[in-house]
Amino acid sequence: MSSDFRNDEEPCQSDYHSAFHLTSLSDNIPAQSNSNSTGNDTQLSVPQEFFYVKDIKFKNNDYRIVLQSVNGPCPIIAIVNVLILKNEITIDKTTYISAGDLCSLLANYILDKCNSSDKVHKEQYTIDSLDRFVQIQTGIDINVKFNSAEGFEYTQELALFDFLSIRLVHGWLYDPQDKLLLQLVSDLSYNQLVEKALTLQSSKNDEDVSNYVVLKDFLETAQLTVHGICEIINALHDEEVAVLFRNNHFSTISKQDSRLFLLVTDIGWKDETSVVWETLDSTTNCTSFVDGSFMPSEPGSSGGSCVGKGLVATKDEAHALGLTEDELKQQQQLWKEAKVHLSYRERVSRVD
């Protein structure tokens, strides 16, 4: 996707080609982004980074998941964590894993899956599968459709999710009861809708201008609606683990007892063993943390880092705690700096 809607958040992978930015529709917006990768490029270009590995409990079983750093390759991390929780791959007992080893782990899994397949043209099938894997390291073109939680324009990169039997979902959906949005958006993709908005913006017709404002507001949402949450719940099977695309980020998501939970992979929670998932019940930041059994958890109870949502005092709370104004300002500044490292916070731009 490409757009000039922007905000100031950092992309989850700085080396990725970022084309989903939100600012204003007043500038020209290309309909499709250029990818940094080519179909013939089979060389792995892996940044020399390391990612923390965290031990968690998930339904009474022990797992080691990969944590997200500020510039980590979130599509790969999300995919690997899904495969880990599905008992498809495991990570050796270690404190961290290099980006190269992470990619090798997934590449070897893809090779094993290809070798065990009954495809007639197995060699070409293997080459195609590895090509898709190479492409997601350097860029993923995401072009969502707004009428389905699984609505994405097909690309070779996204075919890897199908090959790995991992569902990719999003919650940026219009409510079909909103007749105007239903009429304006229908089954258009993101790129098509941006083009339509630009056309309406340049019109001198009052109705067109009014419709442009409606589309602009929809395109500048946080890419999640109440209807979108309901549709993700309807799309996923209970206890299924999948990947969610939202706000410049790919996250591991699971449905448990008709509720949605996001795997907490932010490095700020690496020492908090009781913090494993966070709820996805609303379009706001009002979420709660739960442990591996999906029971409410209390950040800080395991003696680790307590950087997280809601951990900075309000003015009323500061007064109750006896904090001075300077102490409150210092706490707020620390929280502001800490949020830079929390990759699941609100981001509105596209990840490649």
Side-chain angles (χ1 to χ4, degrees), residues 7-37:
N7 79 348
D8 297 326
E9 298 287 355
E10 291 293 327
C12 83
Q13 165 62 306
S14 59
D15 290 335
Y16 277 24
H17 169 100
S18 182
F20 191 138
H21 296 302
L22 301 180
T23 52
S24 167
L25 276 170
S26 58
D27 300 321
N28 290 329
I29 302 174
Q32 186 69 40
S33 62
N34 294 322
S35 174
N36 288 338
S37 61

Side-chain angles (χ1 to χ4, degrees), residues 32 140-143 152-160:
Q32 186 69 40
I140 298 183
D141 285 327
I142 296 289
N143 192 16
F152 296 91
E153 186 178 82
Y154 176 84
T155 65
Q156 286 296 313
E157 300 98 314
L158 294 187
L160 183 64

Side-chain angles (χ1 to χ4, degrees), residues 22-170:
L22 301 180
T23 52
S24 167
L25 276 170
S26 58
D27 300 321
N28 290 329
I29 302 174
Q32 186 69 40
S33 62
N34 294 322
S35 174
N36 288 338
S37 61
T38 64
N40 298 324
D41 181 10
T42 56
Q43 292 228 321
L44 299 181
S45 178
V46 180
Q48 296 304 307
E49 297 181 78
F50 291 87
F51 307 103
Y52 277 100
V53 174
K54 179 180 179 179
D55 291 303
I56 67 165
K57 286 276 190 183
F58 177 48
K59 296 196 168 180
N60 297 320
N61 294 317
D62 294 319
Y63 295 92
R64 284 184 289 276
I65 61 170
V66 182
L67 300 186
Q68 176 74 49
S69 66
V70 174
N71 292 320
C74 57
I76 294 176
I77 290 175
I79 288 172
V80 167
N81 282 332
V82 169
L83 294 175
I84 289 172
L85 297 180
K86 291 172 70 173
N87 294 306
E88 299 287 339
I89 60 177
T90 58
I91 294 178
D92 294 334
K93 186 69 176 177
T94 182
T95 304
Y96 54 81
I97 185 171
S98 69
D101 287 343
L102 185 67
C103 291
S104 295
L105 181 69
L106 185 53
N108 288 334
Y109 175 79
I110 292 171
L111 282 173
D112 290 342
K113 192 173 177 68
C114 289
N115 291 334
S116 62
S117 74
D118 55 0
K119 297 288 184 181
V120 176
H121 303 290
K122 185 177 292 188
E123 182 177 349
Q124 186 59 46
Y125 180 65
T126 303
I127 291 173
D128 290 344
S129 300
L130 288 176
D131 266 352
R132 292 165 186 160
F133 169 60
V134 170
Q135 289 166 11
I136 73 167
Q137 296 177 76
T138 54
I140 298 183
D141 285 327
I142 296 289
N143 192 16
V144 304
K145 294 192 172 183
F146 304 100
N147 57 356
S148 168
E150 297 181 83
F152 296 91
E153 186 178 82
Y154 176 84
T155 65
Q156 286 296 313
E157 300 98 314
L158 294 187
L160 183 64
F161 288 87
D162 292 333
F163 169 75
L164 295 173
S165 300
I166 295 175
R167 285 213 274 177
L168 177 66
V169 295
H170 74 92

Side-chain angles (χ1 to χ4, degrees), residues 267-285:
I267 194 172
W269 299 101
K270 69 182 179 67
D271 298 321
E272 281 291 341
T273 56
S274 66
V275 175
V276 180
W277 301 89
E278 67 171 324
T279 58
L280 183 62
D281 293 327
S282 72
T283 58
T284 68
N285 281 336

Side-chain angles (χ1 to χ4, degrees), residues 206-270:
D206 289 342
E207 182 180 358
D208 287 346
V209 173
S210 177
N211 288 338
Y212 158 74
V213 173
V214 172
L215 290 185
K216 181 176 181 291
D217 289 342
F218 178 70
L219 287 168
E220 290 183 338
T221 64
Q223 299 180 25
L224 184 67
T225 64
V226 173
H227 180 70
I229 292 175
C230 293
E231 287 303 297
I232 295 174
I233 292 174
N234 291 334
L236 298 181
H237 306 300
D238 208 40
E239 300 191 358
E240 181 176 358
V241 184
V243 172
L244 171 72
F245 174 74
R246 181 199 178 196
N247 290 351
N248 186 42
H249 197 63
F250 293 82
S251 305
T252 302
I253 188 172
S254 183
K255 175 182 171 181
Q256 303 288 331
D257 295 326
S258 298
R259 292 186 68 190
L260 298 178
F261 298 87
L262 299 177
L263 187 66
V264 178
T265 58
D266 196 278
I267 194 172
W269 299 101
K270 69 182 179 67

Side-chain angles (χ1 to χ4, degrees), residues 165-186:
S165 300
I166 295 175
R167 285 213 274 177
L168 177 66
V169 295
H170 74 92
W172 196 0
L173 307 179
Y174 62 81
D175 189 335
Q177 294 185 14
D178 187 329
K179 300 305 181 184
L180 180 56
L181 266 180
L182 174 62
Q183 178 185 353
L184 290 173
V185 181
S186 185

